[in-house]
Amino acid sequence: MDEEKILILVNGEDKTNQVEKIYTNQYGKIEIKYYKKEKIYSYYKNNIIVRDKAEEIELAERDIYYKHQILFDVKKLIRFQEFIKIIYGNRETEVFRYNDISFKSNSEKNLNKDVIGYFRKIAKNLKDKNGEKENSFLKTEYQNINYINSESVLNYYINKMDLKVNNEEIHNLIYPFRFNLSQKEAIENVYKSNISVIQGPPGTGKTQTILNIIANLAIMQNKTVAIVSNNNEAVKNVKDKLEKNGYGFFVADLGRNEKRENFFKDVPQPYVEGFNTEDKEEELLKQIEALNKKIDELLQKNNQKAKLEKEISEYELEQKYFEEYYAKQNIEKITKLPLYNKTDDRILEFILDNQLLKEGRIRAEWFHKLKMLLKYGIKDLNKLDDNFIDIMISLQREFYKIKIERLKKEYARIESILSLHNFTKLQDKHQQISERILRKRLYEKYNGKSNQFSLLNYKNNIDKFLNAFPVVLSTTYSLRRCIPRNFMFDYVIMDE
């Protein structure tokens, strides 16, 4: 059928250009004969919308907006009563409610339009090694971007908008998979901004972090999550670990055509036998919140311990080189250093004050004498001047001894606190309760349910599909082909 003269929506999807014939049978059902298909398909009337009053709307140097976001490369507009069909430059079409569309003069500046237009021109003029224009992948991808959601990270990036920041403390996150301090912080950061970067070499637990993010976002908060990578191995690792723990049934492993076909040949069915527990979720979450607070305190102590260990190692190395230098100097041994209350900070302040005087940066000598007396208890400045170099070097030597001793005492204090509270036991308890909460949620959501989706119908029922499979795996480039046009996931995790 001519899609510029008639609009036929089947289950909410525009099928106009696929329909050869449409009529009502003797039983009041709508029957449709599609091109290149012999079978006649019957539908209930409430599943079919037909509009045959077409009115072309002039663009007249105007930009077209869908829900206040500009549509790119619009070539023609045709109104069908309460609907409007958009025809793009690549001849693809899209149908919206007319009331969701607005118009503005195309003289108004719009960064989304300008930036995407710029990238389209670059992609269009890409050449191969022989200098010939190529029909590149990028060209196709940019041509297919007709709309940028106002809440998308891309919109924030193009328009140089500040990232969203949420400073509220979070205490009820679950960790059904093993975690450490850096992984816990990384998961909490997901909730603090609309962009979060997790970085680390292989073997540092990035996959474990992704699994815990999935548990919190997809199951505890009913968010849709896409996990993508440039190769299948990275996302396969996530899938394998979820399946190993019995959670593979809520993951849709899509991607390229072949993978999608394989997925829908044997659609995973939920299996939650033994997942339920008599514990009330509210009580379990209270335990989690209390454990999170306790673990946060201990994790901070553990972090302080690691920093102290690094600091001690650095000062001991400095001390080693200083002792080698000291041994080569002809330093007069000073039995009593002219300084009371010899803390490491006080020694540094004393050295700095005298260094400033020697460099001529303290002009009021009377003030310096008063400071030496009141702050450091030094009365005889002549004696200090006579042995200035030896005293300064000896004080520097004393500084390393006192500093390292103080750091080691603090290290021992923190280690004692950590040993009193068995950190590993707390982690184990947290993981066990988290797993019970996760399984209880899965049982409540999936018990008695079955999945009847097919490759042909899942996009038309994307909300129901993603309710059953809130986690979608794909390669980066294939993801947009796995979902309806302009659909946006709540979260996208790029595992690179």
Side-chain angles (χ1 to χ4, degrees):
M1 297 250 175
D2 188 343
E3 60 182 349
E4 294 187 20
K5 293 181 179 178
I6 189 171
L7 174 68
I8 302 172
L9 301 179
V10 179
N11 294 319
E13 187 177 2
D14 182 14
K15 296 285 189 180
T16 311
N17 63 356
Q18 300 175 37
V19 174
E20 184 179 352
K21 290 179 183 178
I22 180 168
Y23 53 89
T24 304
N25 67 18
Q26 58 183 333
Y27 304 107
K29 281 191 171 184
I30 304 294
E31 296 200 336
I32 294 178
K33 165 77 167 62
Y34 293 100
Y35 289 113
K36 299 180 180 179
K37 290 188 178 180
E38 295 300 322
K39 183 179 175 181
I40 304 294
Y41 293 84
S42 294
Y43 301 90
Y44 290 106
K45 279 188 175 182
N46 59 0
N47 291 329
I48 305 293
I49 294 175
V50 178
R51 299 290 182 266
D52 56 5
K53 291 181 181 179
E55 173 195 354
E56 185 172 347
I57 299 174
E58 293 293 327
L59 287 168
E61 298 183 346
R62 296 182 297 178
D63 283 328
I64 316 303
Y65 287 74
Y66 168 65
K67 293 184 177 179
H68 310 296
Q69 286 299 307
I70 194 167
L71 301 177
F72 310 125
D73 199 26
V74 176
K75 296 303 179 186
K76 189 178 281 191
L77 298 171
I78 302 172
R79 183 176 181 180
F80 294 93
Q81 294 164 263
E82 75 270 37
F83 299 99
I84 187 167
K85 177 170 284 191
I86 310 288
I87 301 176
Y88 297 105
N90 60 1
R91 296 303 302 169
E92 289 193 8
T93 65
E94 201 161 10
V95 176
F96 300 100
R97 290 273 176 182
Y98 183 77
N99 290 339
D100 289 334
I101 296 293
S102 58
F103 304 86
K104 289 183 184 178
S105 168
N106 61 12
S107 62
E108 291 188 29
K109 189 79 173 171
N110 186 287
L111 270 175
N112 284 351
K113 180 178 73 173
D114 295 344
V115 171
I116 295 299
Y118 172 72
F119 284 127
R120 277 180 168 174
K121 285 179 181 177
I122 291 176
K124 186 178 179 181
N125 289 285
L126 287 176
K127 296 180 179 180
D128 60 22
K129 58 186 178 182
N130 298 318
E132 299 291 329
K133 282 189 179 181
E134 56 177 318
N135 188 21
S136 68
F137 170 81
L138 279 177
K139 178 184 173 183
T140 304
E141 288 302 300
Y142 280 118
Q143 282 179 337
N144 288 333
I145 297 177
N146 300 121
Y147 164 76
I148 296 176
N149 191 297
S150 61
E151 290 300 308
S152 68
V153 170
L154 180 58
N155 185 60
Y156 275 73
Y157 175 72
I158 289 176
N159 291 280
K160 302 176 183 177
M161 296 162 64
D162 291 335
L163 296 177
K164 289 182 179 178
V165 177
N166 176 19
N167 292 318
E168 293 180 14
E169 288 191 25
I170 304 162
H171 293 299
N172 61 348
L173 296 180
I174 65 170
Y175 299 92
F177 303 92
R178 202 72 178 165
F179 67 98
N180 59 28
L181 172 63
S182 61
Q183 291 162 5
K184 189 173 187 294
E185 287 175 339
I187 293 164
E188 289 172 354
N189 285 338
V190 170
Y191 291 85
K192 293 178 181 177
S193 174
N194 46 355
I195 296 180
S196 181
V197 178
I198 300 171
Q199 202 169 7
T204 52
K206 292 190 294 298
T207 301
Q208 292 289 105
T209 304
I210 290 173
L211 297 179
N212 280 317
I213 289 173
I214 288 171
N216 284 284
L217 293 179
I219 306 306
M220 298 303 295
Q221 298 192 14
N222 295 313
K223 301 295 185 182
T224 58
V225 182
I227 303 173
V228 299
S229 178
N230 282 336
N231 61 72
N232 285 314
E233 283 306 309
V235 292
K236 184 177 182 296
N237 193 22
V238 173
K239 179 191 173 189
D240 289 347
K241 289 195 174 181
L242 284 170
E243 287 180 343
K244 182 181 176 182
N245 287 275
Y247 304 132
F249 59 84
F250 62 77
V251 178
D253 189 11
L254 305 181
R256 63 182 186 273
N257 290 337
E258 183 184 348
K259 289 198 77 177
R260 271 177 279 165
E261 288 171 3
N262 289 336
F263 176 82
F264 286 104
K265 280 179 184 175
D266 186 17
V267 178
Q269 299 299 325
Y271 182 78
V272 290
E273 187 177 336
F275 276 28
N276 197 19
T277 172
E278 293 182 0
D279 299 307
K280 291 183 179 179
E281 185 178 309
E282 186 181 350
E283 292 302 316
L284 292 174
L285 285 172
K286 282 182 181 178
Q287 292 180 52
I288 284 292
E289 187 170 349
L291 280 169
N292 274 336
K293 287 179 180 177
K294 201 165 190 178
I295 287 173
D296 279 344
E297 293 171 6
L298 292 178
L299 286 174
Q300 291 303 322
K301 292 292 182 189
N302 200 46
N303 199 28
Q304 289 174 25
K305 178 185 166 187
K307 287 179 180 177
L308 282 169
E309 194 170 9
K310 184 172 181 287
E311 208 174 346
I312 290 167
S313 176
E314 288 170 350
Y315 274 113
E316 284 182 335
L317 184 62
E318 283 184 32
Q319 184 188 41
K320 176 191 171 190
Y321 289 123
F322 183 82
E323 287 294 331
E324 289 176 2
Y325 162 79
Y326 183 84
K328 295 174 184 177
Q329 309 305 310
N330 186 20
I331 304 280
E332 181 183 340
K333 188 172 182 181
I334 300 170
T335 54
K336 187 177 180 182
L337 291 168
L339 186 65
Y340 67 74
N341 189 20
K342 292 192 292 291
T343 65
D344 48 54
D345 290 337
R346 182 58 61 90
I347 290 173
L348 277 183
E349 288 171 8
F350 179 79
I351 293 172
L352 178 61
D353 283 339
N354 283 280
Q355 187 65 32
L356 292 174
L357 180 70
K358 291 295 179 183
E359 292 174 359
R361 293 163 68 180
I362 297 177
R363 300 196 181 277
E365 197 167 323
W366 65 269
F367 178 76
H368 177 70
K369 289 179 179 178
L370 185 62
K371 189 175 185 180
M372 289 293 107
L373 176 62
L374 298 177
K375 187 174 181 179
Y376 303 112
I378 296 175
K379 300 174 183 177
D380 189 356
L381 290 179
N382 290 328
K383 187 177 179 181
L384 176 64
D385 289 339
D386 292 342
N387 300 283
F388 182 77
I389 298 295
D390 290 354
I391 288 172
M392 290 301 120
I393 292 176
S394 297
L395 279 172
Q396 220 172 327
R397 190 184 189 202
E398 190 72 8
F399 163 80
Y400 283 116
K401 290 178 183 176
I402 295 171
K403 181 74 173 181
I404 291 169
E405 184 182 351
R406 183 174 69 80
L407 291 175
K408 284 184 175 179
K409 280 182 180 178
E410 180 62 12
Y411 181 89
R413 185 186 73 82
I414 290 174
E415 200 168 42
S416 175
I417 292 171
L418 289 172
S419 64
L420 286 173
H421 303 84
N422 193 313
F423 180 63
T424 304
K425 280 187 178 179
L426 283 174
Q427 275 185 314
D428 290 342
K429 188 176 180 182
H430 196 298
Q431 186 178 352
Q432 289 165 11
I433 297 173
S434 293
E435 193 167 3
R436 281 156 67 189
I437 293 171
L438 176 65
R439 287 175 169 252
K440 185 176 180 67
R441 275 287 180 98
L442 289 169
Y443 182 85
E444 290 171 354
K445 179 176 179 178
Y446 289 99
N447 185 41
K449 303 285 179 65
S450 62
N451 296 321
Q452 305 297 327
F453 302 101
S454 71
L455 185 59
L456 295 176
N457 72 14
Y458 85 99
K459 286 185 183 179
N460 295 339
N461 300 284
I462 193 66
D463 290 336
K464 290 181 179 178
F465 178 77
L466 290 175
N467 184 55
F469 299 100
V471 178
V472 173
L473 308 181
S474 172
T475 56
T476 308
Y477 296 125
S478 297
L479 180 63
R480 292 183 68 233
R481 294 175 180 81
C482 299
I483 54 177
R485 182 196 294 272
N486 295 331
F487 179 85
M488 188 171 79
F489 285 92
D490 295 318
Y491 291 85
V492 175
I493 300 172
M494 301 182 70
D495 190 359
E496 298 298 338

